[in-house]
Amino acid sequence: MKQLVLFLTISLGILTTCVGQSTRQKPVSRAEFMRLMQTVAAGMNENNARKAADCFALDAIYSEPPNKQIYRGRDRLFEFFGGYKGRPKVMQMIWHHLAFDEQAQVGSGEFSLTNGATVHGMVSIRIRDGLIGNWREYTYQSTLDWNAFILQNPF
């Protein structure tokens, strides 16, 4: 009987530990995705690298294909976003359109980013456990503001 109780206690302990380690957040909603993206932009605009980086998973991958830039992990993103010192030039990030597929936990957005030069771009994002797991961006440097940039095809 003691062996059975011991066996059940150990089994329950192992089961509890595994469940505790594998808890996943529920999928994010469209509204939560929008808030997450606005927080990334606010972190960049406030020169607050920690605020922006904390929107990303610990093992996130941030890339600009094919090989323009790639950062792996929240710590590397923290440094990329300015680290403890912040960026030397003021940055301004504006989202123009954001879309999110709740079932797939994949979103996208058009943005403008000014940091000395201006780029307009598009990003594809995969959410994992409530944070950005993957960020893949495509940018186009331009001297035009957003409205002039999209002049031929506004919506």
Side-chain angles (χ1 to χ4, degrees), residues 1-151:
M1 182 68 169
K2 282 184 174 180
Q3 290 176 335
L4 178 60
V5 171
L6 182 61
F7 173 77
L8 290 175
T9 303
I10 292 171
S11 297
L12 183 59
I14 291 170
L15 178 61
T16 303
T17 302
C18 291
V19 170
Q21 290 175 352
S22 67
T23 56
R24 293 179 52 114
Q25 291 186 5
K26 64 179 182 155
V28 301
S29 67
R30 182 181 184 283
E32 291 166 324
F33 174 78
M34 299 298 182
R35 278 193 298 277
L36 189 62
M37 295 303 99
Q38 292 303 334
T39 302
V40 170
M44 291 182 181
N45 296 344
E46 297 164 9
N47 208 8
N48 185 338
R50 177 57 56 211
K51 185 175 191 174
D54 282 350
C55 295
F56 291 80
L58 290 173
D59 61 347
I61 300 173
Y62 180 114
S63 68
E64 186 175 4
N67 295 312
K68 258 181 138 173
Q69 59 182 341
I70 186 160
Y71 302 95
R72 294 180 186 274
R74 184 186 295 162
D75 291 341
R76 285 283 290 130
L77 287 167
F78 173 69
E79 293 302 322
F80 172 62
F81 294 146
Y84 292 108
K85 292 182 179 181
R87 286 181 172 255
K89 293 184 179 181
V90 176
M91 182 181 291
Q92 182 66 39
M93 181 180 198
I94 299 169
W95 291 109
H96 301 291
H97 297 102
L98 287 166
F100 186 63
D101 179 335
E102 288 185 33
Q103 186 174 0
Q105 294 289 285
V106 172
S108 63
E110 287 183 300
F111 65 90
S112 294
L113 181 67
T114 303
N115 182 24
T118 298
V119 297
H120 304 292
M122 183 86 184
V123 62
S124 292
I125 300 155
R126 182 176 62 127
I127 302 297
R128 188 168 24 89
D129 295 330
L131 298 169
I132 300 166
N134 299 82
W135 173 291
R136 186 172 52 232
E137 74 181 27
Y138 307 88
T139 61
Y140 188 91
Q141 190 168 345
S142 177
T143 58
L144 302 173
D145 69 12
W146 178 253
N147 290 325
F149 185 76
I150 63 161
L151 184 63

